[in-house]
Amino acid sequence: MFKRVNRIQARSQKRRRKKHKHISHHQRYVTYITGLYSCQWKPKQEERPSYGLCCCSRREQLFYLFLVISSCLSVVLLFVWIEASNEYFSFDWVVFLGTGLWFFWSLLLLSLFGILAVYSSLLMVIGFLLIWERNELYLHWCHKILTLLVIVICTFFMLILSTYWRDKWLTFGLSLKIFAPYVHLSSITMMVFLSWPVAFYLNHLEQEAIQVAVGLPFFIIILYLYLVPLGTHSPCIQEKDKLGPKPDFFGHRGAPMLGPENTMMSFEKAVENGAFGLETDVHLSYDEVPFLMHDNDLRRTTNIREVMPNASLRPGPFFTWDFLSTLNAGKWFVQSQSKPFYNMKPLSEADREKATRQLIPKLSDLLELAQKEKKVVIFNLNAPPPKHPLRISFVRRIVSMILDSNIEQRLIYWLTAFDRQYVKLKAPGFQQVGQLYSIKRLTKENITKINVDYKNLFYGGLSDYKAANITINVYLVNEPWLYSLVWCSSVHSVTTDNIQLLRQMNHPHFFMNQDQGRGDQGEQPVVH
């Protein structure tokens, strides 16, 4: 009898210890998330208040709303900046022009936006967990200050982007043409998971008005997610046999990830990687020699600061070729503090040595290479500054020099609009290239090729140019997702810094076969 009582007492004590252990684990969990949210780490006696909209004061409800806003702003800003990675070099270059200091400012901002997004999103999730546990919210004053600071920082940068770099929002819109199907599926999945706790929460709310206030927005979001595919279009969802040929490549200043930009090494690397054409920038020296240089001054890509520091801000066209030809145009490329791209691969010893010996090339040097390799040349011709001897007649000097080089005229893509009639008269074999002109103007000027910024093209009548049989080249395309979008849109060629990577693509990324997407023959969609 006593043995039986002892066994019953032992089992009862074991159940109580197990229940106490279970409660202790839950208390530790609640204490932990409460500590993260409100910096109060002392365990409290568990209290389960009745269900309501929120177990906290109106002030805390307001700050949780600020948390949601800061999370949304920071995540959107981070996504926009990630999708703008195609433009990181141009951003760093603009900052260099203002500061004179070369640095990966774009990556610094990427890190900042990532930290802000992670911080505000985690804090928002922790607050949601506390609400789910029906614990009173109390956001620590430090978190409150940081939350408001996140909102201010994100708002500031969004205003900066909208004012001075508005086209980055266009890049964000184009990225949705590629990623929208996947973002949509992810959003649907997330809403399905959220529907269970939301339904459970609504079921325990006592006031019908509050149920409507909480449940109606959730239902509208779900309805929107299910209907949004009806109004979206992705060029990479199409029948496989309608996919156009792979776009050709123009090496932007050569292959600037493999050699110093606008040097013969860079152009040779572009040729080695199968470039269809070579893109460059042309200036005229004070003694009328066309040379290759992108920037107006010589600070970034030469050793002018060492040779003549007091003249480093002087425009390049005010130097004579005798001086320009002595400057080193490659040592900067192998120095870690001045390398142009963060994702450059290390150079071999032979390439490092070759890079350090690069000089500023003349346009005639590039034309000689292009003629030898049968590569097309397209260039931006920079008008000389005021008081330059060729301020008015620079186009005629360039045309004369090209004709003297004996390069085949068909290999010249003439881009400059100034004095175009003279160019057509003196060099009828040059292939005239326009910009984002109207179809009427292109037809009138007998231009069948255009060279345009990809952002302006996709929002400026791509289908009209294709219908008019206009050959299209877009710049500047460095990211695989953007090249995939161009490929799926049947654009003919791209200007790129990243030829060594894009040339390896044998099929557009994120391509979905439309027939398989409809479920033909019982197959599933194929994503490449």
Side-chain angles (χ1 to χ4, degrees):
M1 180 68 179
F2 289 107
K3 290 182 179 180
R4 183 178 178 184
V5 170
N6 289 337
R7 284 197 300 270
I8 294 174
Q9 290 177 346
R11 284 196 296 268
S12 177
Q13 291 175 358
K14 187 176 181 180
R15 283 196 297 269
R16 284 197 297 270
R17 284 196 302 269
K18 187 175 180 180
K19 181 178 180 181
H20 178 72
K21 184 178 180 181
H22 173 73
I23 294 175
S24 298
H25 282 315
H26 184 265
Q27 283 182 334
R28 291 193 193 105
Y29 159 71
V30 173
T31 301
Y32 180 70
I33 60 176
T34 303
L36 291 175
Y37 193 83
S38 60
C39 298
Q40 296 178 355
W41 298 96
K42 185 177 180 180
K44 293 183 178 181
Q45 184 68 30
E46 280 195 300
E47 296 180 1
R48 293 276 179 169
S50 60
Y51 284 90
L53 184 60
C54 184
C55 309
C56 56
S57 65
R58 291 190 180 277
R59 178 188 297 177
E60 293 303 321
Q61 292 179 25
L62 179 62
F63 269 100
Y64 189 75
L65 177 61
F66 286 158
L67 259 183
V68 174
I69 293 173
S70 67
S71 176
C72 293
L73 286 176
S74 58
V75 168
V76 169
L77 186 59
L78 176 63
F79 185 74
V80 169
W81 197 248
I82 289 174
E83 295 310 309
S85 60
N86 190 76
E87 313 289 334
Y88 282 177
F89 175 85
S90 61
F91 176 82
D92 296 335
W93 178 71
V94 169
V95 177
F96 169 80
L97 293 181
T99 63
L101 177 65
W102 183 262
F103 186 71
F104 293 135
W105 304 104
S106 53
L107 294 186
L108 183 65
L109 288 182
L110 179 65
S111 302
L112 172 64
F113 299 155
I115 292 171
L116 297 181
V118 170
Y119 168 76
S120 55
S121 298
L122 282 178
L123 209 56
M124 181 187 70
V125 170
I126 291 171
F128 175 80
L129 293 176
L130 287 172
I131 294 173
W132 180 253
E133 291 292 334
R134 287 169 286 153
N135 276 43
E136 183 177 359
L137 290 182
Y138 176 73
L139 187 64
H140 193 266
W141 64 266
C142 183
H143 286 320
K144 290 177 179 177
I145 294 175
L146 290 177
T147 297
L148 296 176
L149 188 61
V150 170
I151 294 176
V152 171
I153 292 174
C154 292
T155 303
F156 170 76
F157 278 105
M158 284 188 172
L159 289 175
I160 291 294
L161 287 177
S162 300
T163 305
Y164 298 104
W165 222 17
R166 190 175 301 171
D167 57 355
K168 296 301 162 284
W169 293 106
L170 301 180
T171 302
F172 171 70
L174 289 178
S175 70
L176 294 180
K177 289 181 175 291
I178 289 288
F179 298 112
Y182 308 97
V183 173
H184 176 252
L185 291 175
S186 301
S187 301
I188 289 290
T189 303
M190 182 182 69
M191 294 303 289
V192 168
F193 278 112
L194 287 177
S195 63
W196 291 97
V198 170
F200 181 80
Y201 187 68
L202 290 175
N203 186 51
H204 287 80
L205 286 174
E206 297 176 356
Q207 300 181 17
E208 185 175 342
I210 298 179
Q211 288 179 329
V212 173
V214 175
L216 184 60
F218 188 81
F219 174 77
I220 292 174
I221 293 174
I222 291 181
L223 182 63
Y224 171 78
L225 287 175
Y226 276 102
L227 295 179
V228 73
L230 300 177
T232 59
H233 168 69
S234 174
C236 284
I237 301 178
Q238 58 176 287
E239 296 177 10
K240 190 173 183 179
D241 57 357
K242 292 185 178 180
L243 180 65
K246 183 177 180 178
D248 292 323
F249 299 108
F250 280 86
H252 185 234
R253 308 173 199 170
M257 291 189 181
L258 304 176
E261 67 176 61
N262 280 328
T263 63
M264 294 311 298
M265 176 183 178
S266 183
F267 294 118
E268 290 165 0
K269 290 290 186 180
V271 171
E272 292 174 9
N273 281 272
F276 168 77
L278 305 171
E279 187 274 348
T280 188
D281 309 273
V282 178
H283 290 269
L284 281 155
S285 68
Y286 203 74
D287 51 347
E288 304 183 4
V289 177
F291 67 95
L292 309 184
M293 178 70 58
H294 175 265
D295 298 5
N296 288 327
D297 60 59
L298 309 170
R299 291 177 297 163
R300 185 173 61 88
T301 58
T302 73
N303 61 338
I304 184 69
R305 287 176 171 175
E306 300 174 6
V307 176
M308 194 181 292
N310 293 333
S312 61
L313 293 176
R314 184 190 302 175
F318 282 131
F319 293 97
T320 64
W321 176 247
D322 286 342
F323 174 75
L324 292 171
S325 62
T326 64
L327 294 176
N328 185 285
K331 286 184 179 179
W332 67 276
F333 185 75
V334 300
Q335 298 172 355
S336 58
Q337 70 272 19
S338 58
K339 68 177 186 177
F341 300 95
Y342 71 92
N343 53 347
M344 285 172 49
K345 292 184 178 179
L347 299 177
S348 65
E349 286 300 321
D351 282 344
R352 287 179 63 88
E353 176 64 24
K354 186 176 181 179
T356 59
R357 292 185 279 105
Q358 294 302 298
L359 304 174
I360 299 175
K362 295 184 291 186
L363 177 59
S364 58
D365 298 328
L366 175 60
L367 298 181
E368 182 180 349
L369 175 66
Q371 176 62 36
K372 177 184 175 182
E373 301 292 343
K374 296 294 185 285
K375 299 298 180 182
V376 169
V377 175
I378 185 171
F379 55 87
N380 295 305
L381 179 55
N382 295 275
K387 299 182 180 180
H388 191 281
L390 293 177
R391 173 67 174 173
I392 304 299
S393 58
F394 66 99
V395 167
R396 302 191 178 199
R397 173 69 182 98
I398 293 294
V399 171
S400 175
M401 193 282 302
I402 294 176
L403 294 178
D404 290 343
S405 71
N406 294 320
I407 187 174
E408 297 176 52
Q409 291 191 22
R410 65 178 183 85
L411 296 179
I412 300 297
Y413 275 27
W414 187 264
L415 185 59
T416 306
F418 181 76
D419 214 358
R420 192 185 290 272
Q421 290 303 318
Y422 171 82
V423 178
K424 288 182 176 181
L425 179 64
K426 297 295 291 185
F430 287 4
Q431 301 197 54
Q432 297 296 322
V433 181
Q435 300 180 36
L436 202 64
Y437 304 150
S438 65
I439 302 295
K440 183 179 179 180
R441 178 179 175 181
L442 293 173
T443 304
K444 180 180 179 180
E445 298 185 16
N446 195 26
I447 296 175
T448 59
K449 296 177 173 62
I450 59 173
N451 180 60
V452 295
D453 187 325
Y454 70 88
K455 297 179 287 294
N456 296 332
L457 176 68
F458 279 97
Y459 291 101
L462 171 61
S463 58
D464 294 335
Y465 290 107
K466 290 165 62 177
N469 293 321
I470 301 296
T471 301
I472 303 170
N473 179 71
V474 297
Y475 62 88
L476 184 65
V477 176
N478 291 331
E479 294 296 320
W481 73 263
L482 186 54
Y483 184 67
S484 299
L485 177 63
V486 170
W487 189 345
C488 293
S489 302
S490 299
V491 173
H492 302 90
S493 59
V494 302
T495 300
T496 181
D497 293 318
N498 207 3
I499 188 172
Q500 71 281 358
L501 174 64
L502 300 186
R503 69 185 291 263
Q504 299 175 14
M505 293 176 56
N506 297 318
H507 202 276
H509 294 178
F510 310 105
F511 180 83
M512 299 180 70
N513 193 326
Q514 192 174 46
D515 289 337
Q516 292 173 323
R518 289 195 298 260
D520 291 1
Q521 300 176 357
E523 297 180 355
Q524 296 298 317
V526 175
V527 179
H528 297 271

